[in-house]
Amino acid sequence: MTHRLVIGITGASGSLYARKMLQVLSAMPGELHLIVSNMGRQVLAHEMQIPELGIGGFVRSLAEGSSPAADIVIHDNYDMFEPVASGSFKTSGMVIIPCSMKTLSAVATGYSHDLISRAADVTLKEKRPLVLVTRETPLSLVHLKNMCAAAEAGATVMPASPGFYNHPQSIDDLVEYMVGRVLDHLNIEIPGMARWGDV
Ligand SMILES: Cc1cc2nc3c(=O)[nH]c(=O)nc-3n(C[C@H](O)[C@H](O)[C@H](O)COP(=O)(O)O)c2cc1C
C-alpha cells in the first residue's frame, strides 16, 4: 500500500530539507498533502533565492523536467474544512519540516489555530506517526519544555542536525541524510540511502 502523508512547512530556517523531502517523495507513488504557513512560504522564497511563487509554483518548479509519481494536494493553512483537519481522513502520518518554535508550541499545547497545527493535533490523537523537524539554536527552556511535551504526547522530535560520520561531500549529502532519517520514522525507505554499517 502506498503512503498518504501530510507535510507541513513552517517558517524556520531549513527550506532545503523541505525541498529535498518533496523531491524524494514526489518521485515515489503516494499521496502528499502539503500545507505551508505564511512564514514558511516567505522564508522558503528567501532561502531558495526564488521569487515568491506561491507554493503551487514552488511545487511545479520541483517537478520541472520530470514526471512526478506522487499525487500532490496543496491545502490552504487557514481552511479548517480541509480533509486533513479530521481524524476520519486516514493518513499514514505527518511531518513538519522545518518546524518553527512557534508551531512546535502550538503542537505541544494543542492550540490548533491553523491547519498545520490542527492536522498535527489530529495525527497525535489518532496515534499516527508525527515527526517534527525543529530548527532553532540555542534552545530556551520554553523550547525544551515544548519538545518534551510534544514527545510525551507521541511526536518524534528530530532537530535538523545531520550527522557527519558518513563523510558527507556536499550540503546535499547532509540534507539527504537528514531527510532519509526522517522518512525512516515515517516508515518510508529512500532507495540507496547510505547507512552506518553498510559496506
Ligand atoms: C529568515 C528567517 C529565519 C527564521 N528562522 C527560524 C528558525 O530557524 N526557527 C524558528 O523557530 N523560527 C525562525 N524564524 C521565525 C519564524 O518564521 C516565526 O516565528 C514565525 O512566526 C513562524 O510561524 P509559522 O510557524 O506559522 O511558520 C525565522 C524567520 C525568518 C524571517
Side-chain angles (χ1 to χ4, degrees), residues 1-15:
M1 214 180 83
T2 58
H3 51 262
R4 175 191 269 171
L5 193 67
V6 185
I7 303 174
I9 299 177
T10 67
S13 185
S15 312

Side-chain angles (χ1 to χ4, degrees), residues 5-188:
L5 193 67
V6 185
I7 303 174
I9 299 177
T10 67
S13 185
S15 312
L16 280 177
Y17 295 110
R19 180 173 71 176
K20 178 62 75 181
M21 165 107 10
L22 284 173
Q23 282 172 338
V24 167
L25 291 178
S26 60
M28 297 176 177
E31 201 177 298
L32 308 177
H33 291 263
L34 186 63
I35 320 164
V36 187
S37 73
N38 188 29
M39 276 307 288
R41 196 169 35 77
Q42 291 181 54
V43 173
L44 194 143
H46 173 75
E47 291 191 339
M48 300 275 109
Q49 296 182 282
I50 53 171
E52 265 195 59
L53 297 167
I55 196 62
F58 172 68
V59 170
R60 275 192 297 280
S61 75
L62 286 182
E64 232 165 2
S66 66
S67 41
D71 291 322
I72 305 175
V73 185
I74 299 167
H75 300 282
D76 176 349
N77 194 27
Y78 294 104
D79 187 353
M80 292 294 183
F81 282 82
E82 294 286 342
V84 293
S86 169
S88 65
F89 184 74
K90 280 195 164 177
T91 70
S92 38
M94 176 171 181
V95 56
I96 306 181
I97 181 169
C99 180
S100 74
M101 294 301 106
K102 179 192 141 198
T103 293
L104 167 70
S105 76
V107 175
T109 55
Y111 186 68
S112 303
H113 65 108
D114 59 12
L115 189 61
I116 293 178
S117 48
R118 170 62 187 166
D121 201 40
V122 163
T123 307
L124 286 178
K125 85 181 173 73
E126 298 296 332
K127 309 216 180 305
R128 298 171 189 149
L130 172 68
V131 180
L132 307 176
V133 184
T134 53
R135 218 293 327 171
E136 190 50 277
T137 196
L139 296 165
S140 72
L141 190 57
V142 173
H143 302 148
L144 292 165
K145 283 183 170 173
N146 283 335
M147 286 183 188
C148 194
E152 280 172 348
T156 301
V157 181
M158 297 188 77
S161 53
F164 290 82
Y165 48 83
N166 271 338
H167 309 298
Q169 301 297 305
S170 63
I171 292 177
D172 195 59
D173 286 351
L174 290 167
V175 171
E176 184 166 297
Y177 186 74
M178 186 70 218
V179 165
R181 294 293 292 123
V182 169
L183 291 176
D184 279 348
H185 285 266
L186 293 160
N187 305 310
I188 299 171

